[in-house]
Amino acid sequence: MSGKNDIYKPRPISGFLEWLPEVRLVEQRWLDQIRAAFEQYGFCSIETPSVEEIDVLAAKGGDADKEIYGLRRLAAEPGEDDTASGGGRLALHYDLTVPMARYVAQHFGDLVFPFKRYQMQRCWRGERPQEGRLREFYQCDIDVIDMDEVSLHFDAEIPAMTLDVLSRLDVGPVRLHINNRKILQGFYQGLGIEDVVNAIRIADKLDKIGHDGVIQGLTEELGLAPSVASKCVELASIKTADTGFADEVRAFGIDNELLEAGLEELTFVMLELAHLEKGTVVADMSIARGFDYYTGTVYEGKLVDYPDFPTVCAGGRYDNLVGSYSRQKLPGVGISIGFSRIFSKLVKEGRIEVGAKCPTDVMVACLPGSSRTDLGVTSRKLRERGFKVEMYHEAKSLKAQMKYASRKGIPYVWFPANAEQENHEVKDMINGEQSVVDIDTWTP
Amino acid sequence: MSGKNDIYKPRPISGFLEWLPEVRLVEQRWLDQIRAAFEQYGFCSIETPSVEEIDVLAAKGGDADKEIYGLRRLAAEPGEDDTASGGGRLALHYDLTVPMARYVAQHFGDLVFPFKRYQMQRCWRGERPQEGRLREFYQCDIDVIDMDEVSLHFDAEIPAMTLDVLSRLDVGPVRLHINNRKILQGFYQGLGIEDVVNAIRIADKLDKIGHDGVIQGLTEELGLAPSVASKCVELASIKTADTGFADEVRAFGIDNELLEAGLEELTFVMLELAHLEKGTVVADMSIARGFDYYTGTVYEGKLVDYPDFPTVCAGGRYDNLVGSYSRQKLPGVGISIGFSRIFSKLVKEGRIEVGAKCPTDVMVACLPGSSRTDLGVTSRKLRERGFKVEMYHEAKSLKAQMKYASRKGIPYVWFPANAEQENHEVKDMINGEQSVVDIDTWTP
């Protein structure tokens, strides 16, 4: 706490981003482009509160809760029951999937299915910040939820949309890795592995702990035979840009219905995506996704230019997610784009080209001969014509006014007609040319 | 906590709003219109984190802190030092003014002055929810900050912008009440009142406790003579739609420099706003604004259709706000629009006209004769032409498909050309007409 005359020198808060206006302008343009793309596919927007009841977040299980920020009312006394204010009962959401599932269950009767929604909001996680890991971040999610069954076509449309969206931004090439949990589960079951969940969890660390580490984990932790553990690692090495993966998996000779169902589903999805540029989509048997609510197709996208950078979009198909909050069977499939992760990485790499520090098209200069009415009428007329216009309010030197326009990156300065000057004139701040113009017809 | 097979039935959280897709569509359109209006005046966007350090929020003083939500990491053990995760050190912001002041101080060297920013974000207050009072709400703020001095013209431009913005939305007429703190302070000082701050605080309750209540407060709490207390109440009753207020105040015959400065400033602002429709702006000597950081012009806006509903926009001029975080003198003036307060009121009053449940212009139907390629190519072509297009993915009965389009409010259904049907056809869902169309030239 500071006294009245003290100065509290603010510092950046680790893991929480904020941008200068010129960067924010680009961020806003990107968010607008993503939203426009989502709407081009007919997805509707929803927003949920920033908080959920802790019980709602906990109902999904998993170990996400260790990162959750709960709320407490600052003024609550220690031991005071603060639940009426939401203190102790509410927490900031850590993703947009759980809130969406809760939303669908809660508003079930008012929604039309298949329900296709996009959601672009901040999420919070109390993690230790590191590259690509923030405490507050925008996610841009798309999901389709349907009653009883959701068409497998969506398993292809969702990643196609995601790639379309990302291709409209300057993020460089993106590669989407697709797998199907049924392939992993069926394959592991077919090998006689009992603790499939933990085997998948260990094999999912291939990138981090390597071939030998996975073998060691599978044999030591789960007691698998080395030959079985080897097959798990061999499966994970299968990656094809077409439907070739299916034959490679079938070559193991494992007879399992779930495995076969997974191979058929993934083949269907890969064929539906065949119109995309070759290599954009890869069937990749190493992809598992940590969350245990995924039951079919799973996705992970990477920036090709930064292979060591974490996943930038991810998702999958879930059959029972909404089921935590409703007896109605509501399966779904979706992808989440880690917007802030991508944007902050590209800012850091110097790949975001920033321009003006404000949206202004025209600054109306304040000349000694101009009355307030001249300035006001000119500004209003230009605004009515659709331009973004700011007035310079003080009769400072022309030099000071031009410096302001130039530092903010304003492209045009307007000198209004007045008692001393019959015509409107405009100065182009890029090439320095000044010319007489007509206010009703001028265009940049 | 729920077990694996339990269902956690979600309930709405008091004070936190969420909308169905058809309402959200309107909300989003309104937010877009506000943003477009702000940008038409050349204001730049900034976003700050949802949290600030508790010390930053506390540096502003006042009694706002009783409503602040602090963060705690759920998994932190009682007594554990959780400050590294931000737990115990961070709190959700309760307005956008304090974060803006902190932002300006922190990024001072990178900003161009006068710095004109708008900011549209959620804020949080742990208050007891009641009409017009939410725990999570969008505010839309505009402020101008300058070095050493900020032009008085902005004291007029800021409310003019606000009224322009609100006139673009269907909120009905808005009346903006304007005063100047110097008038109040100078008048009270001129009356010989010592505890001016508390006198203003009591007189500010005129609306709530009435004439007699204020007189009682001023005489009993502050020991003022009844004749002096009466004058305070008489001052508060002065309201004029032009600059007539100045003569009415001067008629008290109080000689005070600050009072005279306030009268001159407010006269200037009222003259600058004279081009607005008569009665939209009222010089109102009863307006004080609770926050003690206001030092000149103060504003409060009301919805004329709902006179008992709380203030929907408010703000003023502050000379020292940023000064809590910087030794540089950075005065400013701004207004905050209580977006969620207005929007939720109009929803409640049934004044928000909702339409479609999704942004889709065209649904491409899935006919038995169509191949996936027919559907996909048609959809992509229409999207390239700028339409918002969704594909119906399953070959369900035409009736089921039409019902889906109709329930979502999709205006056109497209029947793609295919092996059995040479031409594209489109059905207008409003008038029911179906016609043969050319995909390259069709317009709704």
Side-chain angles (χ1 to χ4, degrees):
Chain A
M1 304 276 169
S2 311
K4 277 240 156 183
N5 298 312
D6 287 343
I7 285 175
Y8 182 85
K9 187 85 192 122
R11 299 157 298 182
I13 305 173
S14 174
F16 291 79
L17 299 173
E18 77 183 358
W19 305 116
L20 288 172
E22 55 270 33
V23 181
R24 168 66 186 156
L25 247 164
V26 180
E27 180 184 50
Q28 219 173 10
R29 196 165 63 227
W30 282 37
L31 288 166
D32 285 345
Q33 280 170 319
I34 293 174
R35 179 179 146 194
F38 288 166
E39 295 190 350
Q40 271 204 311
Y41 286 81
F43 281 59
C44 71
S45 165
I46 69 164
E47 269 198 352
T48 59
S50 303
V51 303
E52 297 287 338
E53 303 232 10
I54 289 173
D55 285 349
V56 165
L57 297 177
K60 277 282 26 81
D63 49 13
D65 37 314
K66 71 170 186 292
E67 306 158 353
I68 296 176
Y69 282 125
L71 299 192
R72 64 188 174 100
R73 203 164 48 94
L74 278 197
E77 301 294 328
E80 179 188 327
D81 176 17
D82 189 27
T83 48
S85 83
R89 200 168 54 83
L90 302 175
L92 295 172
H93 56 225
Y94 58 87
D95 72 3
L96 302 177
T97 310
V98 171
M100 179 273 301
R102 193 265 313 146
Y103 179 98
V104 170
Q106 192 172 323
H107 304 290
F108 177 71
D110 294 311
L111 304 178
V112 180
F113 294 91
F115 178 62
K116 311 177 186 183
R117 83 88 175 80
Y118 74 91
Q119 195 170 351
M120 301 167 64
Q121 287 184 243
R122 285 172 163 182
C123 301
W124 296 267
R125 292 188 195 179
E127 296 185 285
R128 189 177 297 275
Q130 48 181 282
E131 170 148 66
R133 197 163 280 185
L134 298 161
R135 285 176 169 170
E136 175 175 70
F137 48 94
Y138 271 104
Q139 300 233 127
C140 302
D141 280 32
I142 40 173
D143 283 86
V144 180
I145 307 274
D146 207 349
M147 279 192 276
D148 301 321
E149 218 175 316
V150 60
S151 167
L152 200 60
H153 289 290
F154 286 114
D155 293 53
E157 188 173 61
I158 291 278
M161 269 177 77
T162 305
L163 287 166
D164 181 9
V165 169
L166 292 173
S167 75
R168 301 179 192 203
L169 309 171
D170 302 321
V171 302
V174 174
R175 184 170 299 130
L176 203 71
H177 301 253
I178 311 192
N179 197 6
N180 191 302
R181 290 278 289 226
K182 290 177 185 167
I183 296 176
L184 296 181
Q185 271 175 287
F187 187 92
Y188 283 40
Q189 279 170 13
L191 284 174
I193 298 172
E194 277 174 26
D195 189 353
V196 170
V197 170
N198 271 314
I200 291 178
R201 184 182 54 75
I202 293 167
D204 195 25
K205 295 186 195 163
L206 189 60
D207 269 4
K208 284 177 200 145
I209 62 177
H211 178 279
D212 293 352
V214 171
I215 298 272
Q216 195 182 342
L218 291 172
T219 51
E220 290 180 8
E221 272 185 60
L222 301 187
L224 302 189
S227 65
V228 170
S230 268
K231 283 187 179 155
C232 297
V233 177
E234 280 169 49
L235 176 71
S237 71
I238 297 174
K239 298 180 207 314
T240 68
D242 52 23
T243 57
F245 70 92
D247 284 346
E248 292 188 38
V249 175
R250 285 183 185 117
F252 283 92
I254 291 168
D255 183 25
N256 180 285
E257 269 183 39
L258 197 62
L259 171 61
E260 194 48 43
L263 291 174
E264 278 171 25
E265 285 182 14
L266 186 53
T267 300
F268 177 88
V269 170
M270 288 300 287
L271 286 174
E272 285 267 302
L273 295 174
H275 66 279
L276 298 176
E277 201 186 327
K278 189 92 175 172
T280 318
V281 171
V282 178
D284 180 343
M285 304 302 106
S286 76
I287 302 299
R289 297 301 303 144
F291 293 109
D292 56 5
Y293 51 71
Y294 291 119
T295 50
T297 313
V298 283
Y299 315 99
E300 276 187 21
K302 304 270 286 178
L303 297 178
V304 174
D305 294 347
Y306 305 103
D308 297 333
F309 193 64
T311 298
V312 294
C313 58
R317 168 181 277 256
Y318 40 86
D319 282 341
N320 305 307
L321 186 61
V322 181
S324 309
Y325 315 111
S326 162
R327 297 217 184 272
Q328 171 70 43
K329 197 186 165 203
L330 289 161
V333 55
I335 281 186
S336 173
I337 299 175
F339 178 82
S340 298
R341 175 178 281 183
I342 297 173
F343 189 75
S344 58
K345 173 67 175 172
L346 295 179
V347 169
K348 195 186 149 199
E349 297 290 336
R351 282 182 50 170
I352 301 293
E353 209 173 305
V354 299
K357 288 175 188 291
C358 63
T360 310
D361 300 315
V362 179
M363 183 190 92
V364 176
C366 183
L367 301 180
S370 295
S371 71
R372 293 301 301 172
T373 310
D374 295 333
L375 299 178
V377 170
T378 301
S379 303
R380 282 196 289 278
K381 207 171 231 176
L382 288 169
R383 277 187 204 116
E384 275 161 24
R385 290 197 51 215
F387 298 114
K388 294 168 183 152
V389 180
E390 59 178 293
M391 267 162 90
Y392 200 92
H393 279 306
E394 288 181 287
K396 286 196 184 166
S397 72
L398 196 58
K399 198 176 153 196
Q401 298 191 39
M402 299 311 273
K403 189 176 163 199
Y404 170 82
S406 153
R407 288 192 65 203
K408 277 214 171 162
I410 298 171
Y412 296 96
V413 174
W414 193 279
F415 304 100
N418 63 36
E420 294 171 20
Q421 172 190 315
E422 198 187 340
N423 293 304
H424 291 281
E425 292 190 14
V426 171
K427 187 183 178 84
D428 180 325
M429 296 295 285
I430 310 291
N431 64 23
E433 277 171 29
Q434 188 165 332
S435 41
V436 170
V437 291
D438 180 70
I439 193 167
D440 296 315
T441 57
W442 175 78
T443 44
Chain B
M1 305 275 169
S2 313
K4 276 241 157 182
N5 297 312
D6 288 342
I7 286 176
Y8 182 85
K9 188 84 190 123
R11 298 157 298 181
I13 305 174
S14 173
F16 291 79
L17 300 173
E18 78 183 359
W19 305 116
L20 288 173
E22 56 271 33
V23 181
R24 167 67 185 155
L25 247 164
V26 180
E27 180 185 50
Q28 218 172 11
R29 196 166 61 228
W30 282 37
L31 288 167
D32 285 346
Q33 281 170 319
I34 294 175
R35 178 178 147 195
F38 288 165
E39 294 190 350
Q40 271 205 313
Y41 287 81
F43 281 58
C44 71
S45 166
I46 71 165
E47 270 199 354
T48 59
S50 303
V51 303
E52 296 288 337
E53 304 230 12
I54 289 174
D55 285 349
V56 166
L57 297 177
K60 277 283 26 83
D63 49 12
D65 37 316
K66 70 170 185 295
E67 306 158 354
I68 296 176
Y69 282 125
L71 299 191
R72 64 191 174 99
R73 204 163 48 95
L74 280 194
E77 301 295 326
E80 180 188 326
D81 176 17
D82 189 28
T83 47
S85 83
R89 202 169 51 84
L90 301 176
L92 296 172
H93 56 224
Y94 58 86
D95 73 3
L96 301 176
T97 310
V98 170
M100 179 275 300
R102 192 265 313 144
Y103 179 97
V104 170
Q106 194 171 321
H107 303 290
F108 176 71
D110 293 311
L111 303 177
V112 180
F113 294 90
F115 177 61
K116 310 178 187 184
R117 83 87 176 79
Y118 74 90
Q119 194 169 351
M120 301 167 64
Q121 286 184 244
R122 285 173 163 182
C123 302
W124 296 267
R125 292 188 195 180
E127 296 185 286
R128 189 177 297 276
Q130 48 180 282
E131 170 149 68
R133 197 163 279 184
L134 299 161
R135 283 176 170 170
E136 175 176 69
F137 48 93
Y138 271 105
Q139 300 233 126
C140 303
D141 281 31
I142 39 173
D143 283 86
V144 180
I145 306 275
D146 207 349
M147 279 191 277
D148 302 321
E149 218 175 316
V150 61
S151 168
L152 199 61
H153 289 291
F154 286 114
D155 292 52
E157 188 173 60
I158 290 279
M161 269 177 78
T162 304
L163 287 166
D164 181 9
V165 169
L166 291 173
S167 75
R168 300 179 192 203
L169 309 171
D170 301 321
V171 302
V174 174
R175 185 168 300 130
L176 203 71
H177 301 254
I178 311 192
N179 197 5
N180 192 303
R181 291 277 288 225
K182 289 177 186 167
I183 296 176
L184 296 181
Q185 270 175 285
F187 187 91
Y188 283 40
Q189 279 171 13
L191 285 174
I193 298 172
E194 276 173 29
D195 190 352
V196 170
V197 170
N198 271 315
I200 292 178
R201 184 181 55 73
I202 293 168
D204 196 23
K205 294 185 195 163
L206 189 61
D207 270 2
K208 283 177 202 148
I209 62 175
H211 176 280
D212 294 349
V214 170
I215 299 273
Q216 195 181 344
L218 291 172
T219 51
E220 290 179 12
E221 272 186 61
L222 301 186
L224 301 190
S227 65
V228 170
S230 268
K231 283 188 180 156
C232 296
V233 177
E234 281 170 49
L235 176 72
S237 70
I238 296 174
K239 297 182 209 313
T240 68
D242 52 24
T243 56
F245 70 92
D247 285 346
E248 293 188 38
V249 175
R250 285 184 185 117
F252 283 90
I254 291 168
D255 182 27
N256 180 284
E257 268 181 41
L258 198 62
L259 170 62
E260 193 48 41
L263 290 173
E264 278 170 25
E265 285 182 15
L266 187 53
T267 299
F268 177 88
V269 170
M270 288 299 288
L271 285 174
E272 285 267 301
L273 295 173
H275 66 280
L276 297 176
E277 201 187 325
K278 189 92 176 175
T280 317
V281 171
V282 177
D284 180 343
M285 304 302 106
S286 76
I287 302 299
R289 297 303 301 145
F291 292 110
D292 57 5
Y293 49 70
Y294 291 119
T295 50
T297 312
V298 283
Y299 315 100
E300 277 187 22
K302 303 271 285 180
L303 297 179
V304 174
D305 294 346
Y306 305 102
D308 296 333
F309 193 64
T311 298
V312 294
C313 59
R317 168 180 278 256
Y318 39 86
D319 282 342
N320 305 307
L321 186 61
V322 182
S324 310
Y325 314 112
S326 161
R327 297 218 184 272
Q328 171 69 44
K329 197 186 166 203
L330 289 162
V333 56
I335 280 185
S336 173
I337 299 175
F339 178 82
S340 298
R341 174 177 282 183
I342 297 172
F343 190 75
S344 59
K345 173 67 175 173
L346 296 179
V347 169
K348 194 187 149 201
E349 297 290 337
R351 283 182 50 169
I352 300 293
E353 208 173 306
V354 299
K357 288 174 188 291
C358 64
T360 310
D361 300 314
V362 179
M363 183 190 91
V364 176
C366 184
L367 301 180
S370 294
S371 71
R372 294 301 300 171
T373 311
D374 295 333
L375 300 179
V377 169
T378 302
S379 304
R380 281 195 290 278
K381 208 172 233 174
L382 287 169
R383 277 189 202 115
E384 276 161 23
R385 289 197 52 216
F387 298 113
K388 294 168 183 151
V389 181
E390 58 179 295
M391 269 162 90
Y392 200 91
H393 279 306
E394 287 181 288
K396 286 197 183 165
S397 73
L398 196 58
K399 197 176 153 197
Q401 298 191 39
M402 299 312 273
K403 189 176 162 199
Y404 169 82
S406 153
R407 287 192 65 202
K408 278 212 171 165
I410 298 172
Y412 297 96
V413 174
W414 192 280
F415 304 100
N418 63 36
E420 294 171 18
Q421 172 191 315
E422 198 185 341
N423 294 305
H424 291 281
E425 292 189 14
V426 171
K427 187 183 178 86
D428 180 325
M429 296 294 285
I430 309 289
N431 64 23
E433 277 171 28
Q434 187 164 333
S435 43
V436 170
V437 290
D438 180 69
I439 193 168
D440 296 315
T441 58
W442 174 78
T443 45

